[in-house]
Amino acid sequence: MNYSKKFRVEQGSKVKLDEIDPNYKGDHENKDDAQGELEKHAQRLSELQYLMYAENKRSLLIILQALDAAGKDGTINHVFASMNPQGCRVYAFKTPSAEELAHDYLWRIHQDTPRKGLVTIFNRSHYEDVLVVRVHNLVSKEVWSKRYDEINNFEKELVDNDTHILKFYLHIDKEEQLSRFKQRLDDPKRHWKISESDYAEREHWNDYQKAYEEAISKCSTNHAPWYIIPSNHKWFRNLAVSQILVDTLESLNMKFPAPTANIEDIRKKYHAAKEEMKKDK
Ligand code: AMP
Ligand code: MG
């Protein structure tokens, strides 16, 4: 199954989240059944990220957005498990600080976009500025409604400067969210993840769905597409995201850079050093 195609939101299309099944799991029955493919993707991701780092010509920005408990942290853990930490960055965007609020909303975002060679994941992003900000009326409609175009322009500028952008919305339903809240309650090791706002935000479920639908519909572009990932099954979410990452990185046709040293000269030096070692023995 080609998940890159299946879950990609085409530019100009109108998203209706309640028409998308969050329980979808493709051709696979369960996690065991998908294990082989998951491992294959992990191996490929490791090779492709190494190549991106070595090539040092472009970067990959992965944006993760979702409601509480939808699996942003789990996805990050899974996706990066196979990558070399030296070439990876993660940034989590929280409620803006006073300093951040004193700037335009893209200021803090732009500082953390990846430099060439890096893979960066954003755990939340500038999309919060048309999601939580809209749902809670933190700025007027006149202000947030202009942001879709501003975001598209901002992302276009990044893409024009060799940053590839993939945006994932992790789609769960209300029932699954509650069952994950319960797992957190039942497991003392997860209590730190519980926040007062979880239940308050849940009250705004429908407003969030509407805000997400508009953000995804208006900002899924050919240069920076959104993917809606059915995420009630964590293993399927990981499978789909990793497949889309592999497909995208493979399509870039990356190449190892030419060596800066003269390899033949170095080879001669190596053999001379080897002879020296023999003589010394
Ligand atoms: P978490 O990701 O669960 O640690 O929570 C981070 C919190 O920061 C969430 O409640 C977000 O909605 C909030 N947040 C992130 N970005 C913004 C923003 N631009 N304006 C207001 N709240 C934000
Ligand atoms: Mg949270």
Side-chain angles (χ1 to χ4, degrees):
M1 181 71 74
N2 183 340
Y3 300 130
S4 302
K5 226 169 142 183
K6 187 166 176 62
F7 299 140
R8 182 181 171 120
V9 177
E10 290 307 325
Q11 181 169 318
S13 61
K14 266 199 115 25
V15 171
K16 297 291 299 158
L17 286 174
D18 60 7
E19 289 171 3
I20 299 170
D21 178 12
N23 277 307
Y24 182 86
K25 48 186 177 160
D27 306 328
H28 300 284
E29 266 314 300
N30 53 40
K31 185 176 178 181
D32 288 345
D33 192 33
Q35 199 55 37
E37 237 176 282
L38 275 163
E39 281 166 20
K40 213 175 68 197
H41 293 336
Q43 177 58 33
R44 244 349 245 146
L45 268 183
S46 160
E47 293 160 1
L48 287 161
Q49 183 248 334
Y50 179 69
L51 182 53
M52 177 171 267
Y53 188 75
E55 191 198 48
N56 201 22
K57 265 191 173 169
R58 49 193 139 195
S59 58
L60 179 65
L61 174 61
I62 301 163
I63 294 177
L64 290 182
Q65 284 287 161
L67 295 174
D68 291 307
K72 298 187 292 296
D73 294 338
T75 306
I76 293 170
N77 200 1
H78 180 264
V79 167
F80 275 171
S82 54
M83 295 190 184
N84 183 336
Q86 199 154 219
C88 299
R89 304 283 184 274
V90 185
Y91 298 98
F93 292 95
K94 310 282 181 185
T95 311
S97 67
E99 177 70 8
E100 288 167 347
L101 279 176
H103 290 83
D104 74 275
Y105 67 100
L106 293 171
W107 178 75
R108 66 173 182 162
I109 307 292
H110 209 160
Q111 295 181 61
D112 292 335
T113 55
R115 69 155 177 79
K116 289 182 181 26
L118 291 192
V119 177
T120 288
I121 299 189
F122 282 175
N123 179 348
R124 303 187 191 268
S125 64
H126 43 295
Y127 282 93
E128 291 294 324
D129 294 282
V130 289
L131 294 165
V132 64
V133 165
R134 165 179 170 163
V135 169
H136 290 287
N137 299 307
L138 301 180
V139 300
S140 68
K141 179 168 183 185
E142 203 201 333
V143 173
W144 61 251
S145 59
K146 289 194 195 119
R147 290 183 172 170
Y148 303 102
D149 285 343
E150 291 165 1
I151 288 173
N152 287 340
N153 289 337
F154 169 64
E155 291 178 354
K156 181 75 170 62
E157 192 248 340
L158 295 178
V159 171
D160 287 346
N161 285 279
D162 305 313
T163 294
H164 296 270
I165 304 178
L166 296 173
K167 303 178 291 201
F168 295 102
Y169 172 67
L170 309 179
H171 181 46
I172 58 166
D173 56 27
K174 252 185 131 168
E175 206 181 328
E176 178 66 18
Q177 188 191 50
L178 197 60
S179 110
R180 292 188 189 178
F181 281 175
K182 178 166 188 310
Q183 287 163 17
R184 288 182 180 179
L185 265 181
D186 291 346
D187 179 358
K189 288 203 285 294
R190 295 197 213 179
H191 281 178
W192 69 274
K193 280 201 151 201
I194 299 175
S195 112
E196 292 282 351
S197 75
D198 290 348
Y199 290 85
E201 292 307 293
R202 188 176 158 82
E203 299 275 309
H204 297 284
W205 185 277
N206 291 339
D207 294 338
Y208 272 110
Q209 299 297 106
K210 215 172 118 200
Y212 266 108
E213 284 175 348
E214 190 163 347
I216 296 171
S217 302
K218 289 195 165 154
C219 300
S220 196
T221 54
N222 294 334
H223 58 270
W226 270 103
Y227 294 87
I228 299 175
I229 308 295
S231 297
N232 275 5
H233 299 288
K234 296 174 181 173
W235 59 267
F236 182 76
R237 172 201 75 204
N238 291 341
L239 180 72
V241 170
S242 57
Q243 193 204 82
I244 294 166
L245 292 177
V246 168
D247 284 355
T248 304
L249 289 171
E250 276 181 343
S251 75
L252 303 183
N253 227 342
M254 295 183 286
K255 304 258 182 314
F256 284 106
T260 50
N262 182 324
I263 299 296
E264 277 321 302
D265 279 356
I266 300 286
R267 206 182 298 280
K268 281 181 199 141
K269 284 184 184 158
Y270 165 78
H271 286 296
K274 186 103 181 155
E275 286 306 311
E276 282 298 311
M277 286 287 284
K278 273 192 205 152
K279 272 191 223 149
D280 288 348
K281 268 187 194 162

